[in-house]
Amino acid sequence: MSSKEELEKKLATYVGVEIGPPQVAPEPVNESMIRHWCEAMGDMNPVYVDAGAARRSVHKGIVAPPTMLQGWTLRGIEMANPATMQKNKQVELHQLLSDYGYTSVVATNCEQGYTRYLRPGDLISTTTVIESISAEKATALGIGYFINTRDVFRDQHGEEVAWMTFRVLKFKPHQQAQAQPAQAGGGPAKPTRMRPPLGHDNKWWWEGIKRGELLIQKCSACGTLRHPPRPMCGRCQSVKWQAIKANGRGIVYSYTVVEHPKFPGFEYPLVCGLIELEEGTRIVSNVVGCDPDKVRIGMPVVLSIENVDDEMQLPLFRPAK
């Protein structure tokens, strides 16, 4: 039996298996978390945040945004602790593929369905089943296996309230099979960040970065600004647009400090910030040039287009002086 046949025989034993016991939300659905979510997402639908308006609606009270579904049961920093995940079949499956050389992973698809709105007081739990594992596939990233999981979300009465399917590709990256260029000292080259896919809708933006400009799309019909680049205005559906140059000033609207997992090409701790530009739109970037503990929401920052490796430039933000 070849190693591939041996692997696929082992993979088949995981199909249809629950990854572990049900994951129960640490707290019931509540208005505080709903409001925090809505503020972060910029969705101030009255049925989510205005008790009076919600009572007058068809819902007769506050409901949670359906897309907030995963937020109620998603594990926190404990996921970085191997000891807490030892009996998780999904972790075991991924480790098996890593042992056979399929060391990289990327999420490819996610679908959700909602049976009913969640309300304050609902206590949500979820069970996850490994629904299917594909045959080995050749992709642009490398050869690998697609893993589909299906989550079923239930309330405190055991009734299904929603479902989610999630697909990842566990693969051998192409560069593993290629000779790595050596550094001056003779060792392998330093890993670089992943390159963005360039197409008709975003190539112009990256060309602006190379010129030292941070560009923002502006709808020619209604004047709405948008980022990231896309072909159609979300407000009026016009496909006509122009680019304006940002002045490079803004504030930290929100941020997180990434400690784990550590991907090659990045330096940690890594401050990922949502920057609100003075022009009114927002961009996700890294905050550099200061201790992560010094970053604060509302902190003024300025644009700094910098080389993150020998070939790639990115718009970063530094504290304003």
Side-chain angles (χ1 to χ4, degrees), residues 154-231:
R154 294 182 172 86
D155 63 16
Q156 61 272 28
H157 306 296
E159 297 178 356
E160 182 177 328
V161 294
W163 57 266
M164 179 179 74
T165 57
F166 199 79
R167 178 185 295 173
V168 301
L169 172 66
K170 196 82 165 75
F171 65 100
K172 295 179 179 178
H174 283 316
Q175 57 263 35
Q176 284 190 353
Q178 300 170 353
Q180 297 292 319
Q183 297 186 72
K190 181 180 178 181
T192 60
R193 295 196 186 194
M194 293 180 64
R195 270 34 184 174
L198 300 180
H200 173 76
D201 294 325
N202 72 341
K203 186 177 180 181
W204 62 271
W205 189 86
W206 287 101
E207 289 173 344
I209 295 298
K210 287 184 178 179
R211 296 192 303 269
E213 299 175 341
L214 176 59
L215 301 178
I216 306 170
Q217 269 184 310
K218 180 179 180 180
C219 177
S220 297
C222 70
T224 299
L225 302 179
R226 63 182 187 261
H227 185 82
R230 46 195 182 273

Side-chain angles (χ1 to χ4, degrees), residues 14-63:
Y14 287 88
V15 177
V17 173
E18 288 190 4
I19 68 170
Q23 180 70 25
V24 181
E27 56 188 345
V29 175
N30 61 85
E31 293 185 31
S32 294
M33 285 183 64
I34 292 173
R35 180 173 291 278
H36 291 322
W37 170 279
C38 290
E39 288 178 351
M41 300 301 292
D43 184 357
M44 303 308 289
N45 187 323
V47 299
Y48 303 151
V49 297
D50 185 330
R55 280 194 299 271
R56 295 190 295 271
S57 75
V58 295
H59 301 290
K60 306 302 181 185
I62 291 285
V63 294

Side-chain angles (χ1 to χ4, degrees), residues 97-320:
L97 283 161
S98 293
D99 292 343
Y100 277 81
Y102 301 86
T103 54
S104 296
V105 64
V106 63
T108 63
N109 298 79
C110 180
E111 296 181 8
Q112 293 184 347
Y114 315 109
T115 307
R116 71 166 176 86
Y117 279 91
L118 302 183
R119 298 177 177 275
D122 282 332
L123 184 62
I124 306 304
S125 64
T126 180
T127 54
T128 304
V129 173
I130 300 170
E131 195 171 51
S132 64
I133 303 173
S134 74
E136 188 182 64
K137 302 289 185 180
T139 74
L141 293 174
I143 60 171
Y145 293 87
F146 288 98
I147 303 169
N148 290 340
T149 56
R150 183 178 181 86
D151 288 43
V152 176
F153 297 81
R154 294 182 172 86
D155 63 16
Q156 61 272 28
H157 306 296
E159 297 178 356
E160 182 177 328
V161 294
W163 57 266
M164 179 179 74
T165 57
F166 199 79
R167 178 185 295 173
V168 301
L169 172 66
K170 196 82 165 75
F171 65 100
K172 295 179 179 178
H174 283 316
Q175 57 263 35
Q176 284 190 353
Q178 300 170 353
Q180 297 292 319
Q183 297 186 72
K190 181 180 178 181
T192 60
R193 295 196 186 194
M194 293 180 64
R195 270 34 184 174
L198 300 180
H200 173 76
D201 294 325
N202 72 341
K203 186 177 180 181
W204 62 271
W205 189 86
W206 287 101
E207 289 173 344
I209 295 298
K210 287 184 178 179
R211 296 192 303 269
E213 299 175 341
L214 176 59
L215 301 178
I216 306 170
Q217 269 184 310
K218 180 179 180 180
C219 177
S220 297
C222 70
T224 299
L225 302 179
R226 63 182 187 261
H227 185 82
R230 46 195 182 273
M232 180 181 289
C233 175
R235 173 169 291 180
C236 73
Q237 286 72 59
S238 172
V239 294
K240 295 182 179 180
W241 58 272
Q242 56 189 300
I244 64 171
K245 181 180 176 181
N247 66 22
R249 295 189 296 271
I251 63 168
V252 176
Y253 185 82
S254 181
Y255 73 97
T256 185
V257 180
V258 179
E259 302 274 2
H260 182 88
K262 291 180 168 60
F263 291 97
F266 295 83
E267 295 187 3
Y268 296 85
L270 180 69
V271 181
C272 296
L274 180 60
I275 308 301
E276 186 165 77
L277 301 174
E278 282 192 353
E279 288 77 12
T281 192
R282 297 171 188 159
I283 180 173
V284 175
S285 182
N286 297 136
V287 179
V288 298
C290 71
D291 190 304
D293 291 338
K294 302 296 184 183
V295 179
R296 294 289 183 269
I297 290 175
M299 183 176 80
V301 289
V302 293
L303 174 68
S304 177
I305 296 178
E306 303 180 16
N307 288 325
V308 294
D309 56 44
D310 291 340
E311 300 176 353
M312 188 177 189
Q313 291 179 302
L314 287 179
L316 309 178
F317 286 83
R318 293 179 173 271

